[in-house]
Amino acid sequence: MAEQLEPETILREISDLEGRIEELRQAANMPVPDLRATLDAALVELELALTALRTMGVDQANAAGRSATAETERRVLRTVFQDAPVPLFLLDRDAGVRRVNKQAAAMLGTSPGYVSGKQFIAFCDLPARAALRSQLAAVVRTGRRRRTEVRFLGREHPVDAMVTMARVWIRGEPDPMIVVAAGATAVPDGPADDERPTRTATPAAGTAGGAAREAAPLSDDRDDEVMAALVHRMDVLATASELLLDEPVFNENVAVRRCARLLTAEMTEWVFIDLTPPRAGPASAGGTGAPGAAGHEANGDLRRVVVMGQPDEHGEETVHSLEQLAPEPGTLPHTVFTTRQSALRPHVEDLDLLGVCADGQPACVKMGATSVLCVPVEDGDRCIGTITLASRGEHGPLDLLDLGVAQRLGRLLALVIRASRLYQRRDEIAVSLQASLLPQRLPQIPGVEVAGLYRAATHGIEVGGDFYDVFPAAGGGWGMVLGDVCGKGQEAAAVTAAARHGVRALSGWKSDPAEVLSMVNQALLDEERFVTAVMAGLTVGGEGMKATLASAGHPPAIVIRPDGMVRYASSGGVPLGLFEDFEVGTQVIELAAGDTLFLHSDGVLDACDMSRRQFGQERLLEVLAGHAAAPLQEMLNAVEQRLIDYCDGDLRDDVSMLAVRRQPTPLN
């Protein structure tokens, strides 16, 4: 006779039924669903609901008879459980593992103590979990035995088994329990030699069916496997160090993607990397600012930076869903970030621990993840993010050795990111400082075209020493100057600012460029750096323009005629700031309409190709002659592009150019 359903029992049954139906919906929407098993389970749920409706109000069966039967089953269970030749699991009505025998632990490649207390379905392949939970519920509810195929997630590889589930009553237990017996159907071959090395470092003690073998001592072959696993992890760390430190200047985005790509290639199927944005302000430059209350970045907002893995046939749709899934409070990455404590979940029980996607499907279900670990990305002072690894279990669950490798990678990545953000902050400061050394815009001179160009060296983040300027001069004329301070950095920037602004200020009451440079020389004698410079005083009149040149150890100015003829002006003089007895090279040049006066730094001539051959004067003159009639900015851009092509983008020094041209008088 069917048992009576009390009101409390009915409510619990309805709640459990709703939960199992939701799991079946998720299982049916998985990328590779087991539709047959899901359908069978759905029919089971309908049967259970019908049985519950029919048995409401029926008298309870004889309690004494049931007690006698349960006592008999208890004695049988006690006798055969540990010594049964097949793997056995004892579950409570909620599918939690109460006890396993040694054959079951051997099948999973772990210890009985590890299995106990976890959900039984956590050791089973993800697509069949929802259906299996329904089958277990049917066994509890109806008392009828059931058989179904299950793929267990063994430590080294999955194990296919046929399981038989039966309900038992144990004295002292208020609810029935379930005995699950597993018999092997097939044991997949291990991975081929050319596949990803197994992560396992401890042996499985037996197989799933027949007379299971006892745990055996490690053989020589097994010792070799353990050593190979350890060596593989050392190789992963060595490769990571090489990949992350390969950049001449640390790049956070490159480092993060390289780290994720390495992990998916060598250790797991899916990787998430979540990071906090850099802290604003000078504190981030040194990386030693006071950490927040939890010891992480001040704003504490984790952002998903990279999702990388081996997507199913849904491909980009799956990756996009996971990228949009923020590491919110309550998820494993957020918990690891706030506590700075690594977490390892070899067999995932809570499918929501990585969050739920916008379509309502847990991230673990979308990935097919049955094993997860998460480690903080911290540099010793603060935590700036997390690395999460998710595995489908095809090569065994993630273990402590995987956790150790991920922790080391987390610290290495944190150091690279810290250096990258330091460099980025210093680069921002350098760019701002460099911008202050150059005019924001060149003045408009009636009848004269003016253009300037500055390009920083490819390597390094130090402030360059190049400067140029165009400004009004005494007597109604105009002045232009281009110079180069010896060295780079903040000290060189201070000298650059002094030279540029000194020339500009003195030109307000001195019209002769030679006098201006002589006075600047006096001001720079106490500095530890010298400056080369070329200055021109411009007087515009009629159809032409007169340029009075003064050179202080700088490459000479160049005159380009409209027909392409190119001539060097005279050079000479000594750099500024070296000697009190200062000499300057001077020359006066008449520029007709269409003539161009071109000034440049030595970075133009010294640019080298892969064979360390310099760009030189002849190549510069060739480009200038070829663009003699082009607009000035186009001319300067052409020189820049030719330089970049010549040195394959590897400029070793800053490049500065400044040009003026007397425009023809338009005809009325």
Side-chain angles (χ1 to χ4, degrees):
M1 182 178 295
E3 58 181 320
Q4 183 184 14
L5 294 179
E6 299 293 339
E8 296 81 0
T9 304
I10 295 174
L11 293 176
R12 183 175 64 183
E13 291 288 345
I14 293 175
S15 177
D16 292 346
L17 179 61
E18 288 175 344
R20 295 194 301 271
I21 290 175
E22 179 59 31
E23 289 189 37
L24 288 174
R25 286 197 186 101
Q26 294 178 0
N29 291 326
M30 289 187 64
V32 187
D34 188 344
L35 295 179
R36 177 60 183 272
T38 304
L39 177 60
D40 290 343
L43 293 175
V44 169
E45 295 294 357
L46 288 174
E47 180 183 351
L48 290 178
L50 181 61
T51 302
L53 290 173
R54 287 177 176 174
T55 57
M56 293 179 64
V58 178
D59 292 336
Q60 186 176 9
N62 184 276
R66 190 185 69 179
S67 177
T69 303
E71 179 64 22
T72 301
E73 291 184 354
R74 183 183 63 80
R75 287 198 299 268
V76 173
L77 180 61
R78 178 189 298 170
T79 302
V80 305
F81 190 81
Q82 288 299 334
D83 297 326
V86 296
L88 293 178
F89 299 81
L90 180 62
L91 315 180
D92 58 30
R93 67 173 295 141
D94 295 324
V97 179
R98 287 291 188 89
R99 190 179 299 114
V100 297
N101 66 356
K102 52 190 176 184
Q103 286 77 14
M107 178 184 67
L108 298 176
T110 185
S111 66
Y114 173 76
V115 182
S116 298
K118 294 180 172 58
Q119 283 287 304
F120 174 70
I121 64 170
F123 299 95
C124 305
D125 195 24
L126 192 60
R129 287 188 182 183
L132 183 59
R133 188 185 289 278
S134 294
Q135 297 282 9
L136 291 169
V139 171
V140 173
R141 184 70 185 85
T142 67
R144 290 197 295 268
R145 296 173 184 252
R146 292 186 178 273
R147 288 169 58 84
T148 187
E149 290 188 8
V150 171
R151 168 164 281 201
F152 288 102
L153 300 175
R155 188 173 185 84
E156 294 185 4
H157 49 68
V159 177
D160 292 324
M162 178 65 71
V163 299
T164 301
M165 298 165 284
R167 186 182 72 180
V168 297
W169 292 88
I170 299 179
R171 182 181 296 276
E173 295 291 341
D175 294 318
M177 306 190 77
I178 309 169
V179 172
V180 179
T185 59
V187 178
D189 295 332
D193 292 339
D194 59 346
E195 292 183 1
R196 185 188 315 166
T198 179
R199 289 186 294 266
T200 187
T202 56
T207 60
R213 294 190 295 271
E214 297 288 341
L218 285 176
S219 63
D220 292 341
D221 291 342
R222 190 57 191 171
D223 287 336
D224 291 343
E225 291 181 14
V226 174
M227 183 59 66
L230 293 174
V231 170
H232 174 64
R233 288 166 173 81
M234 295 175 63
D235 288 342
V236 171
L237 288 174
T239 303
S241 300
E242 181 178 352
L243 287 176
L244 297 181
L245 301 177
D246 186 46
E247 291 292 308
V249 177
F250 294 116
N251 186 302
E252 177 176 338
N253 295 328
V254 171
V256 169
R257 297 198 65 83
R258 285 181 175 179
C259 181
R261 190 178 300 112
L262 174 67
L263 289 172
T264 53
E266 298 294 338
M267 289 181 61
T268 190
E269 288 85 8
W270 286 92
V271 173
F272 299 162
I273 297 183
D274 304 318
L275 297 174
T276 58
R279 290 183 297 182
S284 63
T288 58
H296 44 73
E297 294 280 45
N299 55 18
D301 294 331
L302 271 183
R303 298 184 301 180
R304 184 133 296 163
V305 177
V306 169
V307 173
M308 194 170 293
Q310 302 170 0
D312 48 41
E313 65 269 19
H314 294 274
E316 295 182 0
E317 179 183 348
T318 300
V319 174
H320 180 71
S321 296
L322 297 173
E323 288 175 338
Q324 299 301 312
L325 183 58
E328 298 177 347
T331 61
L332 188 64
H334 192 276
T335 301
V336 169
F337 172 67
T338 54
T339 63
R340 299 178 66 172
Q341 298 295 321
S342 300
L344 173 62
R345 303 289 187 269
H347 296 88
V348 174
E349 298 181 60
D350 178 12
L351 296 179
D352 294 345
L353 86 166
L354 294 181
V356 179
C357 297
D359 59 1
Q361 196 171 36
C364 287
V365 174
K366 213 171 256 301
M367 294 182 293
T370 59
S371 187
V372 172
L373 68 80
C374 185
V375 298
V377 178
E378 57 178 343
D379 57 13
D381 292 332
R382 64 184 184 274
C383 183
I384 59 177
T386 60
I387 300 175
T388 303
L389 277 61
S391 171
R392 298 189 181 113
E394 293 298 322
H395 300 276
L398 298 166
D399 56 26
L400 289 176
L401 285 179
D402 297 313
L403 185 68
V405 172
Q407 286 174 325
R408 292 288 299 274
L409 282 179
R411 178 164 177 79
L412 179 59
L413 181 61
L415 294 175
V416 173
I417 292 175
R418 179 177 179 175
S420 172
R421 293 181 177 181
L422 169 64
Y423 273 43
Q424 182 179 3
R425 179 59 180 164
R426 293 183 61 187
D427 184 54
E428 292 172 355
I429 296 173
V431 170
S432 298
L433 184 55
Q434 186 72 65
S436 70
L437 302 178
L438 299 171
Q440 294 184 356
R441 65 183 62 86
L442 295 175
Q444 295 182 351
I445 305 175
V448 177
E449 183 182 1
V450 184
L453 185 147
Y454 171 82
R455 186 181 181 97
T458 306
H459 298 285
I461 59 172
E462 297 288 355
V463 183
D466 285 13
F467 68 93
Y468 62 79
D469 201 358
V470 178
F471 43 83
W478 291 85
M480 59 184 293
V481 64
L482 188 145
D484 187 2
V485 176
C486 173
K488 295 180 180 293
Q490 295 181 1
E491 293 182 0
V495 177
T496 302
R500 177 201 165 192
H501 295 296
V503 168
R504 187 183 184 100
L506 292 171
S507 296
W509 56 288
K510 291 287 185 181
S511 60
D512 184 1
E515 290 187 65
V516 171
L517 292 183
S518 296
M519 297 176 71
V520 172
N521 177 71
Q522 291 293 324
L524 297 179
L525 287 176
D526 293 334
E527 301 291 342
E528 296 181 357
R529 298 173 185 270
F530 63 86
V531 181
T532 66
V534 59
M535 181 179 175
L538 305 176
T539 302
V540 182
E543 292 294 326
M545 179 171 61
K546 183 175 73 172
T548 303
L549 296 174
S551 176
H554 198 83
I558 301 174
V559 177
I560 305 103
R561 307 295 184 188
D563 59 2
M565 181 180 294
V566 181
R567 292 287 186 268
Y568 269 108
S570 62
S571 58
V574 297
L576 304 169
L578 285 180
F579 308 108
E580 188 172 354
D581 186 14
F582 177 71
E583 294 183 0
V584 63
T586 60
Q587 184 180 1
V588 177
I589 299 177
E590 295 291 340
L591 299 173
D595 289 350
T596 301
L597 180 64
F598 178 84
L599 312 180
H600 64 90
S601 64
D602 58 4
V604 175
L605 304 178
D606 295 344
C608 294
D609 63 7
M610 299 298 292
S611 300
R612 309 310 301 163
R613 293 176 298 185
Q614 292 184 337
F615 186 75
Q617 294 179 345
E618 290 303 320
R619 292 185 179 86
L620 173 60
L621 297 182
E622 178 183 331
V623 179
L624 294 175
H627 294 79
L632 286 187
Q633 196 62 56
E634 182 179 330
M635 173 190 286
L636 302 188
N637 291 340
V639 175
E640 178 191 30
Q641 188 58 52
R642 181 69 181 275
L643 281 173
I644 297 302
D645 294 341
Y646 184 77
C647 66
D648 196 25
D650 187 18
L651 280 176
R652 296 288 174 169
D653 195 6
D654 300 336
V655 168
S656 296
M657 292 177 278
L658 184 63
V660 294
R661 175 184 296 164
R662 181 68 169 100
Q663 295 175 327
T665 303
L667 297 176
N668 295 327

